[in-house]
Amino acid sequence: MILYKRFIGFLSISTLCMACSPDYFFNEDKAIEGNIWKINQKITFDKDINDTIGKYNFYLNLRTTTSYEYSNLYIFFETEFPDGRHSKDTIECPLAAEDGTWLGKTSGSLIENKILFKTRVIFPVAGNYKFSIQHAMRNDNLEEITDVGLCIEKIK
């Protein structure tokens, strides 16, 4: 039953990203084994990018359960450029309002968040980009994280 719910949730968020805008040219989610995101576990994505003129927005796709114990999530977002350069950002992702109400879309015990964290990005060189997301919370293991993903939108 849990796998069925995760599958339905995955289809829902994938459909949402595709239905919202045809300009999402990258959208990938990865399941977190056992719903425990370990401190040293980097979630990685590769994308060949040839457009060095367009502007892009980056979103974190995050699925947690209602048992996730924090109202936010800190992540490290690292980019490896085709020419070997690296950049690393620390980003806070709010997940609940001050009154404790979850900010994402809730379906049963799952909460889906799509968090805009970089805007109007221009890729300086064409080639293969590698993106990685790692949690930056004080706990070594974050429980109740089911999926982590990256969605990149081309701005018109």
Side-chain angles (χ1 to χ4, degrees), residues 128-144:
N128 184 263
Y129 283 77
K130 294 182 179 166
F131 306 104
S132 68
I133 301 169
Q134 182 178 8
H135 87 73
M137 301 291 279
R138 292 184 179 180
N139 289 10
D140 285 349
N141 296 321
L142 282 184
E143 296 182 8
E144 305 303 327

Side-chain angles (χ1 to χ4, degrees), residues 5-53:
K5 286 182 181 179
R6 287 182 69 183
F7 178 72
I8 295 300
F10 173 77
L11 283 179
S12 298
I13 199 165
S14 296
T15 303
L16 177 65
C17 278
M18 288 186 279
C20 288
S21 170
D23 292 328
Y24 285 136
F25 79 99
F26 183 83
N27 183 37
E28 186 176 342
D29 295 327
K30 295 190 178 178
I32 302 298
E33 187 176 334
N35 296 348
I36 298 174
W37 192 4
K38 297 178 177 142
I39 189 78
N40 59 354
Q41 181 183 4
K42 288 185 178 182
I43 312 301
T44 59
F45 307 93
D46 285 86
K47 178 68 177 161
D48 287 323
I49 298 171
N50 296 313
D51 179 4
T52 59
I53 297 172

Side-chain angles (χ1 to χ4, degrees), residues 7 28 34 36 38 49-50 57 73 82 88-89 92 99 113 116 123 129-130 145 151 154-156:
F7 178 72
E28 186 176 342
I36 298 174
K38 297 178 177 142
I49 298 171
N50 296 313
N57 290 333
L73 171 71
K88 189 172 187 177
D89 297 305
E92 180 185 12
D99 66 1
N113 284 279
L116 177 65
F123 296 102
Y129 283 77
K130 294 182 179 166
I145 305 284
C151 191
K154 184 169 184 180
I155 302 170
K156 290 185 178 183

Side-chain angles (χ1 to χ4, degrees), residues 109-120:
S109 65
L110 290 177
I111 304 163
E112 294 182 17
N113 284 279
K114 184 175 191 144
I115 301 162
L116 177 65
F117 68 93
K118 280 183 162 289
T119 59
R120 306 181 64 76

